[in-house]
């Protein structure tokens, strides 16, 4: 039973944490891209789309280059904090964040770009700070598109396989998320376990998409 | 013999700004408490209004309202739109579509005490009290205009700016709404500046008029009394304004 429950619990934990962190990082970035013109903006947008088209193994490779024990950041993190995302569930979080990033970024950018600048400026003339304006005006008006991006990112994180394998490995009881556990069970010939995992993964994906649909019908327009 | 100091102008501004091929260079001193900025489209009226509100930054210049400096490039002073005390009614009214009329009105009150009472009182004054729970999409043009005016007033500005307040209303209603709006605005105890391309707005509301043309303005003058009388002889105002520009 644990062979099924652990990957399920781990997948949900990884996807949830990855989606929350990703949302906190991506929204300010998308807001800057929606509001400012600066040199290199178009190039960056293209770079930000790379995770959509690169094989996840390539992304995983880059993650190891950055966060590996001899990596650009990884060496420093290991020395300063004694922390590494290699071969533990944080590696899976990083992998999920990278692959899900373009989905959230582009949804959020599109949603934020449609918010009428006059409304934000009206809020300023009524005394609202940029912070209050963002929470009371910009975000509520863009929430439908942003939520669609968040749900998409969560669904993508749940299905992440290749980059996770590269950085976190497939360690039973440690880093075997659902997709990795399915692969392990299938390759190990445990088809009953593979059946169950596949069924659960499919049901969760279905549930996420249904929630996304409902969320869209419920917003203010 | 007592010397009386000359009265402080309501508005003193001298601003320049370059936007691509367009260059704005306006100098304007106004003593009228109801000033109408008149000019054809592209004359730089709205840009000037946005600079007064702090929503656009001039390249250089100085701006004071009733002696209070809002922007001075040389002294490196530029107040934020939040602290200028300048209210702005946008051309399209810019009501928050996701909020009710009551929430729109309350937006500038923050956590002011008795916010609910103030909203109710303003709604009564603007004759929108039966619409408090409606959203902007459900309102007529005239109702939206009154909500936008009420919302701006509740933030207690020291100066109120109106950007083409009638241009987005359909022409059948415009004359009646202009008159009602003019009566309402004349009862306000604060200086207003209205931007328009329509000579009828000048007639209905102006004490003084500033004429803009291709990014230039040489100041404001009181509107001749004869042109303020209503009903006016038809079509005498436009030639006057054209000639003055």
């Amino acid at each position: 039973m644990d062979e099924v429950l652990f990957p399920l619990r781990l997948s949900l934990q990884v996807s949830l944490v990855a989606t929350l962190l990703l949302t906190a990082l991506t929204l300010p970035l998308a807001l800057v891209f929606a509001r400012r013109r600066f040199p290199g903006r178009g190039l960056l947008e293209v770079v930000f789309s790379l995770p959509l088209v690169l094989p996840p193994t390539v992304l995983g490779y880059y993650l190891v280059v950055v966060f590996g024990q001899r990596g650009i950041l990884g060496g420093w993190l290991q020395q300063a904090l004694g922390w590494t995302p290699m071969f533990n569930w944080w590696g899976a979080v990083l992998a999920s964040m990278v692959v899900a990033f373009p989905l959230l970024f582009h949804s959020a950018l599109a949603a934020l770009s449609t918010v009428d600048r006059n409304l934000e400026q009206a809020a300023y003339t009524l005394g609202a700070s940029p912070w209050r304006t963002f929470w009371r005006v910009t975000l509520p008006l863009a929430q439908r598109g942003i939520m669609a991006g968040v749900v998409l990112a969560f669904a993508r994180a749940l299905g992440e396989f290749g980059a996770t394998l590269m950085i976190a490995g497939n360690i039973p009881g440690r880093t075997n998320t659902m997709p990795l556990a399915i692969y392990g069970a299938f390759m190990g010939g445990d088809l009953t376990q593979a059946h169950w995992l596949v069924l659960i993964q499919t049901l969760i994906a279905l549930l996420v998409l249904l929630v996304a649909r409902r969320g869209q019908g419920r917003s203010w327009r | 013999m007592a010397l009386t100091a000359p009265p402080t102008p309501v508005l003193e501004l001298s601003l320049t700004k370059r936007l691509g091929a367009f260059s704005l260079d306006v100098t304007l001193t106004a003593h009228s408490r109801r000033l109408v900025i008149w000019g054809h489209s592209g004359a730089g009226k709205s840009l000037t209004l946005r600079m007064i509100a702090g929503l656009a930054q001039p390249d250089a210049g100085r701006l004071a309202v009733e002696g209070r400096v809002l922007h001075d490039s040389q002294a490196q002073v530029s107040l934020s739109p939040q602290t200028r005390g300048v209210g702005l009614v946008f051309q399209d009214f810019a009501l928050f579509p996701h909020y009710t009329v009551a929430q729109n009105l309350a937006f500038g009150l923050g956590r002011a005490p008795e916010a609910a009472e103030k909203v109710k009182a303003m709604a009564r004054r603007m004759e929108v009290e039966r619409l408090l729970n409606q959203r902007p999409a459900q309102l007529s043009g005239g109702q939206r205009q009154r909500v936008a005016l009420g919302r701006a007033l509740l933030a207690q500005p020291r100066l109120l700016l109106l950007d083409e307040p009638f241009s987005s209303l359909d022409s059948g209603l415009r004359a009646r709404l202009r008159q009602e709006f003019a009566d309402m605005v004349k009862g306000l105890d604060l200086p207003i500046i209205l931007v328009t391309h329509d000579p009828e707005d000048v007639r209905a509301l102006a004490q003084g008029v500033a004429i803009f043309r291709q990014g230039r303005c040489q100041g404001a003058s009181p509107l001749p009394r004869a042109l303020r009388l209503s009903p006016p002889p038809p079509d005498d105002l436009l030639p006057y304004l054209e000639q003055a520009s």
Side-chain angles (χ1 to χ4, degrees):
Chain A
M1 202 51 191
D2 243 20
E3 288 85 29
V4 174
L5 281 187
F6 179 82
L8 173 61
R9 198 182 58 80
L10 181 65
S11 265
L12 291 175
Q13 176 185 333
V14 165
S15 305
L16 209 65
V17 171
T19 307
L20 288 177
L21 287 177
L22 187 66
T23 306
L25 290 173
T26 307
L27 280 192
L29 195 66
L31 190 64
V32 170
F33 274 73
R35 290 289 176 258
R36 302 235 187 280
R37 298 283 170 272
F38 50 88
R41 186 172 174 276
L43 183 67
L44 274 176
E45 270 187 57
V46 172
V47 172
F48 287 171
S49 301
L50 272 178
L52 285 178
V53 290
L54 281 176
T57 43
V58 172
L59 301 173
Y61 192 90
Y62 281 127
L63 278 174
V64 173
V65 167
V66 175
F67 288 102
Q69 255 115 4
R70 279 188 289 274
I72 303 160
L73 260 175
W76 178 82
L77 283 170
Q78 177 77 279
Q79 280 200 334
L81 307 169
W83 181 83
T84 177
M86 295 296 292
F87 302 111
N88 62 45
W89 73 281
W90 282 107
V93 169
L94 284 178
S96 291
M97 285 173 70
V98 171
V99 295
F101 168 73
L103 299 173
L104 179 55
F105 177 76
H106 288 293
S107 302
L109 177 56
L112 291 168
S113 302
T114 59
V115 175
D116 185 356
R117 288 235 66 187
N118 273 350
L119 297 177
E120 295 175 329
Q121 300 199 324
Y124 295 162
T125 64
L126 294 166
S129 65
W131 181 252
R132 181 164 184 256
T133 302
F134 176 75
W135 287 104
R136 298 267 326 256
V137 178
T138 316
L139 194 59
L141 288 172
Q143 68 172 344
R144 193 155 35 151
I146 290 172
M147 275 318 289
V150 168
V151 171
L152 219 55
F154 181 75
R156 179 65 189 86
L158 272 176
E160 169 40 32
F161 177 78
T164 310
L165 190 61
M166 300 281 285
I167 184 171
N170 183 5
I171 310 168
R174 260 176 81 91
T175 65
N176 59 330
T177 56
M178 294 280 289
L180 290 163
I182 290 166
Y183 180 73
F186 182 72
M187 292 309 277
D190 189 347
L191 290 188
T192 318
Q193 193 192 333
H195 280 328
W196 278 110
L197 287 167
V198 163
L199 188 67
I200 293 170
Q201 180 94 43
T202 309
L203 284 177
I204 294 175
L206 210 58
L207 194 71
V208 169
L209 293 178
L210 284 173
V211 166
R213 226 180 117 89
R214 224 189 105 100
Q216 287 184 349
R218 232 182 5 198
S219 56
W220 53 271
R221 220 181 239 173
Chain B
M1 196 173 94
L3 284 172
T4 46
T8 313
V10 172
L11 178 73
E12 280 174 284
L13 70 79
S14 166
L15 299 168
T16 62
K17 187 170 180 71
R18 204 164 245 298
L19 278 179
F22 178 77
S23 94
L24 184 81
D25 185 351
V26 289
T27 303
L28 170 56
T29 302
H31 291 271
S32 315
R33 286 176 67 81
R34 286 200 314 276
L35 176 72
V36 173
I37 293 178
W38 179 87
H40 296 296
S41 66
K45 313 182 296 287
S46 283
L47 179 60
T48 302
L49 213 57
R50 292 166 55 78
M51 289 197 290
I52 296 172
L55 299 174
Q57 281 294 317
D59 295 337
R62 187 176 180 279
L63 161 68
V65 171
E66 296 192 311
R68 179 168 169 257
V69 176
L70 302 184
H71 183 97
D72 188 340
S73 300
Q74 277 191 334
Q76 296 197 323
V77 172
S78 188
L79 299 187
S80 69
Q82 287 89 353
T83 52
R84 287 191 177 207
V86 173
L88 173 56
V89 176
F90 288 72
Q91 185 168 3
D92 62 357
F93 309 135
L95 296 177
F96 304 123
H98 56 308
Y99 287 144
T100 62
V101 168
Q103 289 169 319
N104 267 282
L105 288 171
F107 193 89
L109 285 171
R111 292 202 188 84
E114 292 146 26
E117 283 75 31
K118 285 178 182 167
V119 166
K120 265 205 194 121
M122 183 56 77
R124 210 169 301 127
R125 200 164 138 203
M126 295 293 140
E127 296 166 26
V128 293
E129 65 225 290
R130 283 183 301 115
L131 308 169
L132 279 172
N133 292 318
Q134 310 253 23
R135 292 197 196 272
Q138 299 166 283
L139 307 183
S140 72
Q143 290 165 342
R144 278 180 219 183
Q145 183 183 56
R146 295 201 298 275
V147 174
L149 178 63
R151 183 179 70 171
L153 291 176
L154 277 174
Q156 295 192 302
R158 302 172 193 211
L159 168 70
L160 182 67
L161 309 177
L162 303 156
D163 192 1
E164 300 271 8
F166 307 107
S167 67
S168 60
L169 304 177
D170 68 81
S171 56
L173 289 169
R174 201 176 295 155
R176 186 171 63 82
L177 283 173
R178 183 188 287 114
Q179 199 48 55
E180 285 178 14
F181 192 74
D183 294 341
M184 201 171 259
V185 162
K186 282 172 186 168
L188 297 177
D189 185 29
L190 84 170
I192 68 163
I193 300 174
L194 182 145
V195 152
T196 185
H197 67 278
D198 189 339
E200 285 309 311
D201 294 350
V202 181
R203 170 148 32 227
L205 280 147
Q207 284 176 342
V209 61
I211 293 155
F212 274 50
R213 189 185 169 87
Q214 292 172 350
R216 301 287 181 278
C217 170
Q218 293 308 327
S221 51
L223 191 66
R225 189 151 196 75
L227 296 177
R228 274 192 259 160
L229 296 177
S230 76
D235 298 330
D236 55 350
L237 195 52
L238 190 57
Y240 166 79
L241 294 169
E242 290 283 7
Q243 197 194 345
S245 75

